[in-house]
């Protein structure tokens, strides 16, 4: 007997003994679902009192298998993965988590999946499960049953139009467009497409079909852009359910519309900025053309209009090589912008301009709106009519002086101050020349010998000059 006891003690000392963890006592509860798609959904629940839990799913019928204590199951969120098989055929572990949610992928649309959630403690061979599970079921989405219905398009122009429709009973709708021929594709189920209202910018399906609209919002119209003038476009709309992996109702509703031969609304509301003696910017509110042509003439109104099919050469430097469509009438911009920066102008001069909206098709043909256009005129910077008066010293010290004046009846935008030491200012600023000034005498631009700019552009009526020398007489203009 003594020999037997000694042997037993030796065996226990030489072995590692694993003790099973205590099983949880409270199951998970309150299973809900969100983000339900054609090939996935997410489940949320309230945790039980286990440290972890596994989520088991089965297609078409309830989960009947039970976990085996001491087995730590492998999970894979892609339903049906062989390495995540559970204890009964067709049952798979889709999550092994410390949290309270799971997402299952690679599901079939319109199919019901049953779920069982088991709480457990421990890992590996110490795993202990609560055999009482939280159960539930959820179906993936199916296709809608009522299709989108097209209404007549509106706001049809040379490069754009607005599609209008009545909604079907799907969560959202997708619209595909094709130029010149009927849409010849249907959207694939479980595929997420990218839409762009600018034709050609969204997902291309097939060779020349583009997704121009996709939304789950309450939209009942969409402005489609980047079209070509005088061109027929075909559209097909499909209701769908889901989002990341949607299921579509096919066949789609169809519609056809033809753009106009050019824009229908002219530019409006001209404004002027950066007005100088030899340059300025003209900005307009664009009409509904994809581009606009600016024609400018000096002194009198523009009289000519562009001709369809003609491409005009533009040059923002007025009068330099650029198409002259009439005597002295120069094309200064043919642009997608709504402004032009004019240069090579003359001071104190009025310039007249017209702005024509136009479109261009894929072959380069131009379509101008000439029945209406924006006509305006403006002047370059002019010489102020009145001069500064009442120039006087305010204070003086050994190295600085402050003086003020009365501006010239508001006719000038700015004042320029020049100072010279020892003799009167004998420099005159040159038109069309920008000068930089400095309140430190001698640091600003020297216009001619000894004549220094204190300020080139000034709105106020007082300035202090610094870095002066005692005993020197300074003259100001």
């Amino acid at each position: 007997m003594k020999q037997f006891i000694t042997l037993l003690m030796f065996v226990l000392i030489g072995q590692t003994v694993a003790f099973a963890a205590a099983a949880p006592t409270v199951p998970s509860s309150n299973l809900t679902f969100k983000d339900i798609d054609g090939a996935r959904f997410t489940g949320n629940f309230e945790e039980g009192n286990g440290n972890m839990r596994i989520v088991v799913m089965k297609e078409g019928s309830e989960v009947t298998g039970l976990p085996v204590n001491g087995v730590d199951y492998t999970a894979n969120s892609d339903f049906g993965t062989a390495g995540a098989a559970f204890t009964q055929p067709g049952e798979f572990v889709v999550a092994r988590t410390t949290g309270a949610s799971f997402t299952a992928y690679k599901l079939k649309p319109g199919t019901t999946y049953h779920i069982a959630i088991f709480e457990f403690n421990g890992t590996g061979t110490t795993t202990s499960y609560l055999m009482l599970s939280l159960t539930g079921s959820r179906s993936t989405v199916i296709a809608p049953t009522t299709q989108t219905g097209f209404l007549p398009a509106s706001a049809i122009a040379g490069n754009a139009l607005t599609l209008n429709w009545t909604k079907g009973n799907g969560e959202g709708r997708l619209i595909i467009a094709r130029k010149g021929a009927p849409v010849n594709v249907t959207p694939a189920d479980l595929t997420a497409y990218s839409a762009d209202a600018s034709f050609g910018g969204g997902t291309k399906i097939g060779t020349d079909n583009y997704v121009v609209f996709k939304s789950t919002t309450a939209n009942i119209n969409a402005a489609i852009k980047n079209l070509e003038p005088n061109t027929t476009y075909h559209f097909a709309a499909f209701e769908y359910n889901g989002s990341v992996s949607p299921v579509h109702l096919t066949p789609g509703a169809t519609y056809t519309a033809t753009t106009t031969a050019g824009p229908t609304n002219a530019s409006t509301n001209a404004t002027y900025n950066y007005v100088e003696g030899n340059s300025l910017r003209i900005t307009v509110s664009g009409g509904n053309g994809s581009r606009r042509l600016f024609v400018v003439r000096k002194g009198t109104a523009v009289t000519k209009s562009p001709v369809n099919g003609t491409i005009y050469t533009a040059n923002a430097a007025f009068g330099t090589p650029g198409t002259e469509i009439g005597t002295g009438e120069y094309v200064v911009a043919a642009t997608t912008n709504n402004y032009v920066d004019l240069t090579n102008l003359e001071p104190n001069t009025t310039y007249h301009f017209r702005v024509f909206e136009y479109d261009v098709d894929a072959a380069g043909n131009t379509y101008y709106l000439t029945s209406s256009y924006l006509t305006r005129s403006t002047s370059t910077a002019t010489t102020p009519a009145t001069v500064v008066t009442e120039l006087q010293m305010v204070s003086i010290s050994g190295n600085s002086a402050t003086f003020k004046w009365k501006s010239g009846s508001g006719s000038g935008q700015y004042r320029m101050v020049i100072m010279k030491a020892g003799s009167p200012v004998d420099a005159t600023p040159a038109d069309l020349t920008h000068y930089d000034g400095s309140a430190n005498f001698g640091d600003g631009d020297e216009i001619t010998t000894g004549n220094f700019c204190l300020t080139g552009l000034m709105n106020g009526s007082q300035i202090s000059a610094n870095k002066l020398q005692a005993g020197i007489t300074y003259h100001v203009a």
Side-chain angles (χ1 to χ4, degrees), residues 433-458:
T433 301
H434 174 78
Y435 296 96
D436 289 317
S438 172
N440 294 324
F441 178 72
D443 290 349
D445 286 345
E446 187 176 21
I447 299 176
T448 59
T449 302
N451 294 276
F452 291 95
C453 185
L454 294 183
T455 175
L457 295 174
M458 184 177 182

Side-chain angles (χ1 to χ4, degrees), residues 72-93:
D72 203 347
Y73 293 94
T74 299
N76 194 312
S77 58
D78 289 342
F79 177 78
T81 303
F86 194 49
T87 57
Q88 294 296 319
E91 299 176 356
F92 297 90
V93 180

Side-chain angles (χ1 to χ4, degrees), residues 16 40 42 47 49 67 120 122 124 135 166 184 193 208 216 294 314 348 350 373 380 389 422 460 475-476:
T16 300
R40 68 163 194 170
T42 294
E47 303 166 12
N49 66 349
F120 72 91
T135 61
T166 58
N184 60 358
Y193 295 97
D208 56 356
T216 57
F294 290 76
N348 302 300
T350 298
Y373 43 79
T380 49
T389 58
H475 299 259
V476 176

